[in-house]
Amino acid sequence: MGQSQEAKIAALADKDPAFKTLVQEHRSLDDKLKELDRKVYLSPDEEMERKRLAKLKLAKKDKIAQLLAGQ
């Protein structure tokens, strides 16, 4: 059986500082989104920010997957 996804991410992050930064940014965006999701009500500005963060997080996730596939 092959390495788990997390193990592949950790191995590549150890070798590639740019990839490690990308993973850290993705996790940071995830934390910010979770913080916004804990709120009962979001103001219009917060809702726009949540959508912006979600798009950024998805773009980083896609880049991570692309780099892992090319490994």
Side-chain angles (χ1 to χ4, degrees):
M1 194 158 191
Q3 291 178 313
S4 72
Q5 190 77 352
E6 283 296 318
K8 288 179 182 179
I9 290 171
L12 188 54
D14 287 341
K15 291 189 284 186
D16 185 352
F19 182 79
K20 183 176 184 175
T21 300
L22 184 65
V23 171
Q24 289 171 338
E25 289 171 353
H26 179 267
R27 289 181 180 151
S28 174
L29 288 168
D30 188 46
D31 290 343
K32 289 175 185 177
L33 283 168
K34 286 178 183 176
E35 186 178 319
L36 285 172
D37 288 342
R38 282 193 288 268
K39 292 186 175 190
V40 175
Y41 173 79
L42 294 178
S43 71
D45 286 342
E46 289 172 325
E47 186 61 39
M48 285 179 54
E49 178 68 2
R50 190 196 175 289
K51 287 178 184 179
R52 186 184 73 79
L53 292 173
K55 287 179 184 180
L56 282 172
K57 181 184 169 204
L58 182 58
K60 291 189 186 299
K61 180 180 178 182
D62 289 345
K63 184 68 175 172
I64 290 169
Q66 180 184 25
L67 291 170
L68 286 174
Q71 187 182 19

